[in-house]
Amino acid sequence: MRAVQIDKCVSMPGDTLRPTMLPRWTSRPSVPSKTPTRDPACSSCETPVTSWYKHNPFASHLLVGEIISINESVHAPIDLIFAQGRLALRPARASSKGPRPAIVFERARPIHPIGQQPLPPTTALLLTTYKKIHSSKLLPALLKDYFAVPVSPHCEVETCEFHLHVHPEWQEDNVWLIAYPITSFGAVHGRWSYVNRRGEAQKDLSFKIGDKALTMLSITCNERMQRWIRRCKEVQNHAQRCMDVYEVRMQLHRINSVLRLPTDIQR
Ligand SMILES: [Zn+2]
Ligand SMILES: [Zn+2]
């Protein structure tokens, strides 16, 4: 839903409409609603998956499409993207390494070391709330225009170009997928557990992405990267500008969200 702007007429007691000289309320910065929306053209929006995903408790591998819990920074994929834009990496940023949810991508990963081999890294796509930034308007351009994909339920499902459904539906609103796979050496703590109504994590229940959605996701990741590279070639300093804005936005949001507290509390 788009925010509706209301013009306020000012009237005084004992006064019928006085077409005033008073300044009118024009564009107050609108805070987009965080209520999840639906895409009428999407069958998964129409009929969300409600059945549980019961993983095999004796599986040797975390399967492609399963959602795991991994210790990794949200900046890791972004650094790789900038590296592709031929920008030198910035020194490591202080940031939370999770654990956060991630989708196992491209190859299954053994759960236990096989023989004497050390555990291989995990190829994964990270999920994040970006400290509860629910609106893409508040994300830096690199994420908003290229690499942030809404995960249903999400307030931008209706308006975005591509959104993702998890089986069963994800249990937190307004989560973003960072559409750039990384190979992470971060610790993996098994699958992301489904939480029941009493708030208890269910060891045997977790989440996965269907095969069709996985294919769409691969295509989307490639498209978004190509789009960004193309733009970097067209617009001088685009990569550098994206990086500068990313740095500033990601560090400032904490202050911003404190200032926005009165609106952000209404959940
Ligand atoms: Zn949908
Ligand atoms: Zn917010």
Side-chain angles (χ1 to χ4, degrees), residues 111-127:
I111 295 173
H112 303 290
I114 299 168
Q116 301 299 312
Q117 302 277 327
L119 272 175
T122 314
T123 304
L125 293 161
L126 302 181
L127 304 181

Side-chain angles (χ1 to χ4, degrees), residues 134-152:
H134 61 278
S135 166
S136 60
K137 282 185 186 174
L138 303 173
L139 290 174
L142 183 76
L143 297 169
K144 172 176 144 317
D145 297 339
Y146 306 95
F147 295 104
V149 168
V151 177
S152 170

Side-chain angles (χ1 to χ4, degrees), residues 34 131-135 138 253 260 264:
K34 49 178 80 167
K131 294 181 179 141
K132 310 260 181 210
I133 306 181
H134 61 278
S135 166
L138 303 173
H253 187 75
R260 270 203 301 275
D264 267 349

Side-chain angles (χ1 to χ4, degrees), residues 23-255:
R24 296 168 70 194
W25 296 93
T26 51
S27 70
R28 298 188 74 210
S30 66
V31 179
S33 159
K34 49 178 80 167
T35 308
T37 57
R38 290 174 172 201
D39 172 4
C42 171
S43 62
S44 301
C45 279
E46 191 67 33
T47 344
V49 177
T50 51
S51 62
W52 287 322
Y53 172 57
K54 226 178 171 126
H55 56 256
N56 172 7
F58 307 110
S60 61
H61 287 67
L62 297 164
L63 304 177
V64 172
E66 282 188 325
I67 304 205
I68 54 169
S69 165
I70 194 169
N71 281 99
E72 187 50 87
S73 158
V74 290
H75 302 311
I78 306 306
D79 285 339
L80 292 169
I81 291 166
F82 285 134
Q84 295 238 12
R86 296 176 207 286
L87 288 182
L89 296 186
R90 300 273 163 116
R93 306 171 173 97
S95 74
S96 159
K97 293 238 171 195
R100 69 183 70 260
I103 302 169
V104 179
F105 203 58
E106 285 167 357
R107 58 190 68 88
R109 181 204 188 261
I111 295 173
H112 303 290
I114 299 168
Q116 301 299 312
Q117 302 277 327
L119 272 175
T122 314
T123 304
L125 293 161
L126 302 181
L127 304 181
T128 177
T129 64
Y130 280 120
K131 294 181 179 141
K132 310 260 181 210
I133 306 181
H134 61 278
S135 166
S136 60
K137 282 185 186 174
L138 303 173
L139 290 174
L142 183 76
L143 297 169
K144 172 176 144 317
D145 297 339
Y146 306 95
F147 295 104
V149 168
V151 177
S152 170
H154 199 293
C155 57
E156 295 197 358
V157 162
E158 191 185 18
T159 45
C160 70
E161 185 183 328
F162 172 73
H163 65 276
L164 186 75
H165 286 275
V166 176
H167 168 192
E169 282 282 288
W170 196 242
Q171 293 190 289
E172 185 176 7
D173 288 356
N174 302 326
V175 167
W176 304 97
L177 171 122
I178 308 171
Y180 190 83
I182 54 162
T183 299
S184 172
F185 286 92
V188 173
H189 316 279
R191 300 169 194 83
W192 194 268
S193 294
Y194 183 87
V195 175
N196 71 10
R197 273 160 211 234
R198 291 187 298 279
E200 300 155 346
Q202 306 290 283
K203 275 254 170 283
D204 55 334
L205 299 179
S206 52
F207 301 87
K208 70 162 182 184
I209 307 292
D211 288 346
K212 249 198 207 159
L214 267 174
T215 307
M216 286 306 294
L217 206 48
S218 292
I219 295 170
T220 302
C221 288
N222 286 327
E223 274 176 4
R224 301 294 171 93
M225 192 67 211
Q226 280 163 21
R227 189 186 299 175
W228 190 66
I229 295 280
R230 213 181 310 131
R231 193 97 179 109
C232 288
K233 284 180 186 157
E234 284 164 10
V235 180
Q236 215 197 342
N237 291 332
H238 185 64
Q240 184 65 53
R241 208 160 343 120
C242 281
M243 186 190 243
D244 293 343
V245 173
Y246 180 85
E247 299 278 335
V248 171
R249 277 287 177 101
M250 284 329 198
Q251 282 161 19
L252 281 185
H253 187 75
R254 261 171 68 106
I255 303 161

